[in-house]
Amino acid sequence: MPLAYALASAVVLIMAMTWGVLQVQVTLAGFLNSESIWSKAQKQAVIDLDNYALSGAPADLASFRRNFKLLDGDRWGRDAIASGHYRKEDLDEVFRRGNIMPAAQSGMIFMMRHFTGAPHMQASLDAWRSTDASIAELGRIANQLERDYAAGAPRPETVAQARARINALNVYMQPRTELFSVEMVKGAVWAGQVLFWCVLGAFCLAAGLWMWMALRIVESIRGSEERYRLLFDSAGDAIVMVDRGSGRILDANRTAAAWTGRSERELVGKDFSSLFAHDPLDVDNTLSLPGHRQGDVALTALLDRDGQVRPVETRSSIARWGDTEISQAIVRDVSERVAMERERRVAAKALGSIAEGVIIADAERRVVTVNAAHVEITGFTVQALQGLRFDDTRSLADDKPLPDSVWRSIELGGNWRGEVKSRRRDGSTYPELLSISAIRDDAGQVLHYVAVFTNITTTKADQRRLEHLATHDPLTGLANRAEFERRCSAALEQASRARRCVAVLFIDLDAFKIVNDSYSHAIGDRLLAKVAERINAELGEGDVGGRIGGDEFTVLATNIDTRDGAAGIASRLLTALAAPISVDDYEIVLSASIGIASYPLDGENPAALITNADAAMYAAKSEERNAFRFYSPIMQADARKRLQLASELRQALANDEFRLVFQPSLELRSGRIVAVEALLRWQHPKRGLVMPDSFIPMAESLGLIRRIDEWVLRAACAWIRQWDREHIAPIRVAVNVSASWFGHPAFIEGLHTALRDYQVDPKRLLLEITESAILRLGEGTHRTMYALHTMGVGVAIDDFGTGYSSLAYLKLPAVVCLKIDRTFITGIPRNPDDVAIVEAILAMSRSLKLYAIAEGIEDEEQHEFLLRAGCEEGQGYLYARPLEVPDLLRMLKSGGSNPPTRLRLVPPPRAG
């Protein structure tokens, strides 16, 4: 239809253009006819006037008057049309005298009104207007001659003069008349050409538009076909087009092909009914073959190529393809529906054996039947409940009967589910999760009620236990962080209304990590439980204790009037925690550091109070330990500095900001430097030199300590290699190793790689590790020690005598040295306890064939005592502070004769 409309529009357009051309042609014919009549009238007027001048015949004058009237009428009509002021009757009279065909009159008026500027039109009009004065003068000459002849015969001279003037006017008008005729003809030719091209253009435009529309429609039809085919093939159901007359398949989509195991081409022409396992007309279906009637539905089984069946539902509709009446069969997979039906049957059979109690009651809620689980849970048999409503034995948790809203919600088409209290046959009660729904007839009236219930006694107990676990620490029973913050938030709201003070105490156990490592994590856990008991014992009514992680505890103090009131609680807590704690067969002594932040002075929300109390605790731990501190803003600044330090520490390795210094270790008898200990320094770009005790704990908490240890090990090997190239006397280099790196699976491989890369003799390297770190490593220590022994690398036990340990690890093969901690060296020779400990360590090392190194020797008396006691090596400020490499090399090269400023070599000069 769009193409037909377009074609009709094109025809109408061409016919309209043709009509327009005809109208223009008629108008041009009118102009040409008018021009011809005007030219003839002008020429004849001249001839008639000249004859009248010679003869004075009235007939000649009358003929002149007729032509002159025609010429003057045309002039008037031309000027009237141009000005637009005229009466139609006058203009019609002019056209009539000019013998202008009526069909051309309106076109001539239109063109003279609006197209006077068209090519040749203006020139012809100008030529026409140029004769107006000459024609008017001819009229005056005629009038004069008429007067002369009326008065008698004019003189010959007068006639000759008139004729001469007539001839002159004719000579003047003749070329203009011809120009008028030529321009009029040219204008007609130009107009004809324009009309031709307009008609041709209109035809081409109409043809082009029709072709464009035809292409658009063809593309639209093709697109519609493609979209139909896409929808047809992508449908989730199988769609088959069947010839109703023959029952043969005309077309099928991809789903049909996939389900039948045949290609779409194979399906075309096949009998539709052969696709099914049995005829849908069988007595079980009572439905006709799809396609026999509009809207037919059949349940059957679709066969694939291998004989496998698929339960399907077919639905047909009637359509026409041209002259062919077809049936469109939609085949839907109902495997899921069939499976659900089977499941429903199974569910019906299983209802009697499910663990939940089931009650079926009539519309009055009187019990009709119950399942076995109901009898087991409640003790009521169906006979015992005869005549009773099932809600008679149930109530809400507050012993009120089930409200009417329960039954209204069910009557409105919903169901009800909730927790109720149910009574057993023996009178006891239990919590029950009850679900009630209704079975209705077609009119929506309730026929039966179905109630399903579960005994949730165990579930409620588990829920209470889970709720407690969700809000409390499972190890200590104290509130966890989330619960503590919630309780703190509630306390802050009450304190704000009552204008009272609330304080948060942040408690951290001092040196708990050492205790945890020295005993076991199980002992540590039991110790934390004991600590929690002591904290709880010191709390007042309304106070809350919490554990927010590790060995960190919090206390919310609510019964205080001022900030200072929290000091008494903190003092009691410190006293309680400082008392020895018995855990299994051990008696452990601890201390704690406590930080205090109060509302409203130190924070207005739980997060701020906990954070600020944490900062105050850190200050207490840094300054004194076993003490408490109140929060001040400077503490938060210190915390920010620690965070900044952590961020900068991560960049220190990448920016190569670490370096090593070396503290010499001397043979006490000879004063010869036999070893150096590599000590780490951080050359911070802004802070300057940072000592290890300022950043090593942070590195351990950030997990960077292994990378730093590896860097120190490789840097020490690099210096050994460099000194060998400079022919420095070979000395042993001791390197401190953390427990996390020593116990790492890649430690031995990393050590082996460093020794190989720098070609260092393993005997030149001594690894120092604290005894507490060894104990922390557990069973992996033995494997690492045996591997080191095989490589030839020795191990020194650093800070010997300060840990909580047995001495079994001293038998490990890689252990070659004991380093006596400076805490024992400081008191010798005046403190008898320190003297006894040092002598015992030296005696034990000799018995185990280990050599001993004393740390922290600072005066001659200590040197003399150790020398007499049989100590082989020592290091300390008495001999040398940690040295930069150039200073160390000067010492090694000079043999001690020119030590650096403020450094001394031993032994000092002695008499004899």
Side-chain angles (χ1 to χ4, degrees):
M1 290 305 294
L3 281 178
Y5 291 148
L7 181 60
S9 300
V11 171
V12 170
L13 177 62
I14 293 172
M15 291 179 64
M17 291 295 297
T18 303
W19 179 84
V21 168
L22 290 176
Q23 290 299 312
V24 173
Q25 290 293 341
V26 169
T27 301
L28 291 176
F31 271 116
L32 292 175
N33 181 58
S34 174
E35 178 273 330
S36 176
I37 293 173
W38 184 86
S39 296
K40 289 179 181 179
Q42 184 265 330
K43 293 176 182 178
Q44 189 62 44
V46 171
I47 294 172
D48 290 340
L49 185 59
D50 184 66
N51 291 336
Y52 178 67
L54 281 176
S55 63
D60 292 331
L61 179 60
S63 177
F64 170 79
R65 293 292 187 194
R66 287 194 303 275
N67 289 314
F68 180 83
K69 188 175 182 180
L70 175 64
L71 294 174
D72 188 58
D74 287 347
R75 177 195 61 76
W76 176 87
R78 178 199 68 202
D79 293 341
I81 291 171
S83 65
H85 301 294
Y86 58 85
R87 289 193 317 139
K88 186 176 182 305
E89 294 80 4
D90 297 338
L91 201 57
D92 289 343
E93 179 61 23
V94 171
F95 283 133
R96 186 188 61 75
R97 286 199 303 268
N99 200 23
I100 303 301
M101 64 184 75
Q105 292 176 8
S106 59
M108 292 177 66
I109 294 172
F110 180 79
M111 290 188 69
M112 291 184 68
R113 280 278 294 164
H114 303 289
F115 287 93
T116 56
H120 305 290
M121 176 66 79
Q122 187 65 47
S124 63
L125 291 175
D126 290 344
W128 185 4
R129 289 190 181 93
S130 66
T131 62
D132 289 349
S134 299
I135 292 173
E137 189 172 351
L138 288 176
R140 289 193 296 274
I141 293 173
N143 293 335
Q144 184 62 43
L145 288 175
E146 184 179 13
R147 286 194 298 272
D148 289 342
Y149 276 111
R155 294 192 307 237
E157 298 83 5
T158 302
V159 172
Q161 185 178 8
R163 291 188 66 199
R165 183 57 184 160
I166 291 169
N167 185 53
L169 291 172
N170 183 51
V171 169
Y172 174 79
M173 290 189 298
Q174 184 65 34
R176 288 162 175 76
T177 303
E178 292 176 355
L179 177 62
F180 171 67
S181 299
V182 170
E183 290 298 328
M184 186 62 70
V185 171
K186 288 181 179 179
V189 172
W190 175 85
Q193 292 175 343
V194 170
L195 289 172
F196 171 77
W197 289 112
C198 286
V199 171
L200 181 61
F203 174 78
C204 292
L205 177 62
L209 288 173
W210 188 85
M211 290 297 295
W212 174 79
M213 184 173 290
L215 289 174
R216 289 289 302 274
I217 292 173
V218 169
E219 290 176 358
S220 176
I221 293 172
R222 186 181 296 113
S224 297
E225 291 178 350
E226 291 175 353
R227 286 192 296 273
Y228 166 77
R229 192 69 206 184
L230 178 62
L231 292 172
F232 184 69
D233 284 335
S234 62
D237 296 332
I239 303 176
V240 183
M241 314 303 287
V242 183
D243 186 342
R244 284 177 56 79
S246 64
R248 300 290 177 180
I249 297 174
L250 301 177
D251 196 4
N253 69 348
R254 293 176 185 170
T255 304
W259 287 359
T260 59
R262 300 174 176 85
S263 67
E264 298 168 36
R265 183 174 299 177
E266 289 176 318
L267 288 174
V268 174
K270 195 171 183 65
D271 185 63
F272 179 59
S273 61
S274 66
L275 300 180
F276 300 94
H278 56 81
D279 193 330
L281 286 171
D282 63 20
V283 295
D284 292 332
N285 264 300
T286 67
L287 293 170
S288 61
L289 183 68
H292 283 203
R293 291 192 305 273
Q294 178 78 12
D296 279 351
V297 177
L299 296 175
T300 183
L302 187 69
L303 283 173
D304 65 9
R305 186 186 293 273
D306 299 329
Q308 299 294 321
V309 297
R310 178 192 302 267
V312 295
E313 175 188 87
T314 59
R315 184 181 300 272
S316 66
S317 60
I318 308 302
R320 299 193 69 84
W321 277 7
D323 297 332
T324 304
E325 187 177 48
I326 64 166
S327 172
Q328 176 179 273
I330 299 176
V331 183
R332 177 161 299 165
D333 189 340
V334 293
S335 302
E336 185 176 349
R337 189 198 306 172
V338 171
M340 290 176 63
E341 179 63 21
R342 291 196 190 101
E343 291 176 1
R344 187 189 64 80
R345 294 193 186 103
V346 172
K349 294 178 181 178
L351 181 62
S353 60
I354 61 175
E356 288 78 11
V358 178
I359 304 171
I360 298 178
D362 61 17
E364 301 298 325
R365 304 200 293 273
R366 287 187 296 269
V367 177
V368 174
T369 184
V370 297
N371 69 343
H374 177 279
V375 178
E376 182 180 351
I377 295 172
T378 67
F380 285 109
T381 63
V382 67
Q383 292 79 12
L385 293 173
Q386 287 296 324
L388 292 178
R389 298 194 310 181
F390 70 89
D391 53 305
D392 289 341
T393 59
R394 287 164 176 83
S395 64
L396 297 179
D398 57 1
D399 294 324
K400 292 181 180 179
L402 298 185
D404 292 339
S405 59
V406 172
W407 313 111
R408 282 198 300 271
S409 65
I410 298 173
E411 288 173 3
L412 292 175
N415 58 5
W416 183 85
R417 178 184 176 89
E419 182 180 331
V420 299
K421 183 191 293 186
S422 183
R423 176 171 53 84
R424 295 188 182 94
R425 190 169 187 176
D426 61 7
S428 62
T429 60
Y430 65 93
E432 180 181 273
L433 182 62
L434 177 64
S435 174
I436 307 173
S437 56
I439 299 175
R440 305 173 187 275
D441 59 16
D442 294 338
Q445 297 298 316
V446 175
L447 297 177
H448 294 90
Y449 288 99
V450 178
V452 180
F453 64 90
T454 304
N455 185 346
I456 58 173
T457 302
T458 304
T459 303
K460 294 282 286 184
D462 292 342
Q463 181 180 353
R464 288 190 294 270
R465 185 164 55 254
L466 288 175
E467 289 174 353
H468 184 270
L469 289 175
T471 57
H472 290 77
D473 174 47
L475 178 63
T476 63
L478 298 178
N480 60 17
R481 177 183 284 271
E483 177 65 9
F484 185 84
E485 290 183 355
R486 188 189 69 78
R487 299 281 293 274
C488 185
S489 179
L492 292 180
E493 292 180 4
Q494 293 180 0
S496 175
R497 291 192 295 267
R499 298 186 178 275
R500 298 196 62 189
C501 181
V502 171
V504 171
L505 287 73
F506 197 103
I507 307 167
D508 185 85
L509 302 180
D510 298 329
F512 174 75
K513 189 173 187 300
I514 296 175
V515 176
N516 207 23
D517 294 338
S518 300
Y519 295 96
S520 67
H521 288 287
I523 295 295
D525 287 347
R526 286 196 282 276
L527 176 62
L528 291 175
K530 295 279 188 179
V531 168
E533 291 175 3
R534 293 195 176 185
I535 291 175
N536 260 334
E538 300 301 325
L539 300 183
E541 184 180 356
D543 295 343
V544 179
R547 178 180 178 229
I548 61 175
D551 60 341
E552 296 175 338
F553 297 86
T554 52
V555 169
L556 176 65
T558 59
N559 294 321
I560 57 175
D561 296 323
T562 64
R563 183 190 195 206
D564 294 335
I569 300 175
S571 297
R572 293 198 306 272
L573 288 170
L574 289 176
T575 302
L577 296 177
I581 301 175
S582 296
V583 180
D584 293 349
D585 296 331
Y586 303 99
E587 187 175 80
I588 301 173
V589 179
L590 284 176
S591 64
S593 299
I594 301 177
I596 304 172
S598 64
Y599 167 86
L601 184 62
D602 302 324
E604 296 184 350
N605 58 71
L609 290 175
I610 293 173
T611 300
N612 293 339
D614 184 17
M617 179 279 298
Y618 190 87
K621 186 178 289 290
S622 301
E623 296 170 8
E624 186 175 352
R625 297 202 175 193
N626 195 29
F628 66 86
R629 292 288 184 273
F630 285 99
Y631 169 77
S632 66
I634 191 66
M635 295 175 180
Q636 198 60 261
D638 292 340
R640 284 193 293 270
K641 287 180 181 178
R642 292 195 299 275
L643 290 175
Q644 180 67 23
L645 180 66
S647 175
E648 294 169 348
L649 186 59
R650 295 180 185 276
Q651 303 174 12
L653 277 170
N655 298 337
D656 198 23
E657 296 175 5
F658 291 119
R659 61 186 178 88
L660 294 180
V661 297
F662 299 89
Q663 185 172 22
S665 180
L666 285 75
E667 187 178 62
L668 297 184
R669 291 194 176 279
S670 65
R672 180 172 59 90
I673 298 176
V674 294
V676 292
E677 181 179 1
L679 302 173
L680 182 63
R681 298 293 185 266
W682 178 9
Q683 191 62 46
H684 193 281
K686 294 181 180 178
R687 302 174 189 262
L689 190 64
V690 182
M691 302 304 285
D693 56 356
S694 298
F695 65 86
I696 289 299
M698 182 67 70
E700 290 178 339
S701 65
L702 294 175
L704 296 175
I705 192 64
R706 288 200 297 269
R707 292 177 57 192
I708 293 176
D709 279 349
E710 188 174 9
W711 182 91
V712 171
L713 180 62
R714 294 186 64 85
C717 290
W719 279 117
I720 294 173
R721 178 63 176 167
Q722 178 68 24
W723 295 338
D724 287 347
R725 288 175 179 171
E726 296 179 10
H727 304 292
I728 303 298
I731 57 174
R732 184 181 72 246
V733 176
V735 176
N736 290 281
V737 180
S738 68
S740 60
W741 176 231
F742 192 84
H744 196 274
F747 171 67
I748 294 298
E749 181 62 28
L751 175 61
H752 183 270
T753 301
L755 295 173
R756 182 193 62 206
D757 291 347
Y758 295 103
Q759 301 177 6
V760 173
D761 183 357
K763 291 184 173 55
R764 297 278 300 280
L765 195 65
L766 180 68
L767 303 180
E768 294 189 6
I769 185 168
T770 62
E771 59 179 341
S772 60
I774 290 178
L775 294 172
R776 201 181 317 162
L777 295 174
E779 295 180 358
T781 306
H782 293 76
R783 291 192 296 270
T784 303
M785 289 292 189
Y786 278 107
L788 292 174
H789 179 66
T790 302
M791 293 173 61
V793 177
V795 175
I797 307 301
D798 199 8
D799 300 338
F800 183 76
T802 61
Y804 302 86
S805 66
S806 67
L807 302 178
Y809 62 84
L810 296 180
K811 298 187 295 182
L812 295 174
V815 178
V816 298
C817 175
L818 300 179
K819 296 194 74 172
I820 306 173
D821 190 70
R822 68 178 66 249
T823 57
F824 303 128
I825 301 300
T826 302
I828 61 172
R830 297 178 181 83
N831 189 313
D833 293 334
D834 289 338
V835 168
I837 291 172
V838 171
E839 288 177 342
I841 293 174
L842 291 173
M844 182 171 55
S845 65
R846 285 193 295 270
S847 298
L848 296 173
K849 295 183 175 54
L850 307 175
Y851 63 90
I853 301 175
E855 295 182 298
I857 303 174
E858 296 184 356
D859 58 42
E860 293 289 346
E861 290 182 343
Q862 294 169 352
H863 172 85
E864 292 293 342
F865 173 83
L866 291 169
L867 186 61
R868 289 195 304 271
C871 183
E872 292 91 342
E873 290 184 31
Q875 64 184 92
Y877 288 173
L878 175 64
Y879 316 125
R881 292 177 180 271
L883 303 175
E884 299 289 344
V885 172
D887 295 334
L888 175 64
L889 293 182
R890 281 197 295 272
M891 282 188 66
L892 293 173
K893 290 176 181 179
S894 66
S897 61
N898 186 25
T901 306
R902 300 182 66 183
L903 299 180
R904 298 184 56 196
L905 296 177
V906 295
R910 292 182 176 83

